[in-house]
Amino acid sequence: MLKIIDKYILKRYLVTFTVMLLMFIPIGIVIDVSEKVNKMIENKAPFKEIASYYLDFTIYFANLLFPIFLFLSVIWFTSKLANNTEIIAILSSGISFSRFLRPYIVGATIVSVFALIMSVFLVPSASAGYKNFRYTYLIGNGQNEIRDNSDVFRQISKDEYIFVSNFNEISKTAFYFSMEKFDNDKLKYKLVANRIKWDEKTKKYTLFNYTKRKVGAFGDIIESGEKKDTVFNFDLEDLTPVVYIAETLPLNELHKFIDKEKSRGSSNINVYLVVLYKKYSIPVSAFILTIIAVSVSSMKRRGGMGTNLAIGIVLAFAFVFLDKVFGVLAEKSTAPPLLAVWTPNIVFGILAIYLLRNAKR
C-alpha cells in the first residue's frame, strides 16, 4: 500500500513539474517571437539559426526559472491532494508526515540531478547560442543584450591591459581594440585597431586599421597600417565580456579559467565565482523549495488552492529576488561570493525547517 502511495505522489510530482515547464516555455517563446520578429526579418536571420536560437532559449530559461516552476508545480498538486482530503486519509492511516514527505524528496533528487546535468553540460552552450543570436540579429530592440557584450576591459598581465568595445563570438571579431603596456606606472606603448579577428587555422590575430605608438624619451615612434597578422599573450576568451564568458564555459573549463584569472589578479573574479557557485546552489534549492511547498500546501485552507498558489507565488518570487540581489551584491562588492550565492538557500532552508515543524503538528 505504501509503495503504491509513494509511486502515486512521485508520479504526480514529476508529471506536474514537466507539464508546468511545457506550459510556460511555449508562452515565453510566443512572447519573445512577437517582440523580436520584426528585427529577425530586418536582419534576415536564417530559419535554421532561429530554430537553434529557440532551442537555446528553452534550455536557458528553463534553467533560469527552474525554482519557480518546481515550487508552483509542487504547491499545485499537493493542494489538490489536500482539497480532496487525500492527505488526511494518508496521515490518518498511521503514516507520519516525515514518511509522507519521502516521495517528494525522491522527486526533488531526480529534478536536482537533472538540473545539475543541464547546468554543467547543456546550459553553457545554450547560453552562448542564445546571446550570440541576440547580438548578431537583434541589434536595435536588443540594446540591453548589446550592452552585455560590450566594453570589455581586462588586465592580462602585471603591466598590460586590453579593451574592446564589443565582441562577436560567431565571427571571433572584437571591435575598437586597444592594448596598453606600462613600466612603473608609465605608458610604454599603446596599440589601437578598428577590429581584431582571431584566425583558428593560423592561431594568430589580424589587426585592421591599426596604430601603434611607442613612447620614447626623445619622441614617440608611430607605426600604422591597414592590416597586420600578429601574436598576443592573451586568449580569445579575454576579449569576451565578463559574465558572457563565464556562462558559456563547461564546468572543467570554467575551473581552469577561474584559476587563470586568480593568478592574474583579475578584478572580475567574483563574477566568475558567482556563476560557478550557482551551478551547485540551484540544484540544492530543489529540496528546500519542495519542503516549503509541501508544508504550505498540505493543509486544507478556507480559500482552497487559490490561497496556496498565492502564498507560493509570493515565496517563489521572494526566492528569485533574494537570489538576484545577493548575486549582484557578490559581483559588485567585497561580499564573499560563496556566502552571497548560498544566502537564499540558507534563509529559505531555515524557513523550510520552521514550516515543516508546524506542518507536522
Side-chain angles (χ1 to χ4, degrees), residues 333-359:
S333 70
T334 57
L338 182 62
L339 179 61
V341 169
W342 281 89
T343 293
N345 279 349
I346 294 171
V347 172
F348 275 75
I350 296 170
L351 178 62
I353 294 171
Y354 171 77
L355 291 175
L356 182 60
R357 286 182 176 178
N358 281 352

Side-chain angles (χ1 to χ4, degrees), residues 71 132 147 184 299 336 349 359:
F71 195 72
N132 289 339
R147 284 194 288 271
N184 294 326
M299 292 180 289

Side-chain angles (χ1 to χ4, degrees), residues 30-84:
V30 169
I31 293 173
D32 193 75
V33 169
S34 64
E35 291 179 349
K36 304 296 191 300
V37 65
N38 289 338
K39 272 302 175 192
M40 292 179 189
I41 295 173
E42 284 179 22
N43 294 323
K44 299 178 181 179
F47 177 79
K48 183 179 179 181
E49 292 194 28
I50 294 175
S52 178
Y53 164 70
Y54 280 108
L55 177 61
D56 294 330
F57 176 94
T58 300
I59 297 172
Y60 183 82
F61 276 95
N63 179 73
L64 185 67
L65 300 177
F66 148 76
I68 294 179
F69 292 144
L70 177 68
F71 195 72
L72 294 181
S73 63
V74 175
I75 283 187
W76 174 269
F77 85 84
T78 305
S79 295
K80 290 187 70 175
L81 293 178
N83 288 341
N84 296 332

Side-chain angles (χ1 to χ4, degrees), residues 169-184:
E169 173 68 24
I170 296 175
S171 64
K172 310 297 183 187
T173 303
F175 300 89
Y176 302 107
F177 167 80
S178 71
M179 180 176 180
E180 298 176 341
K181 183 176 177 63
F182 291 84
D183 184 12
N184 294 326

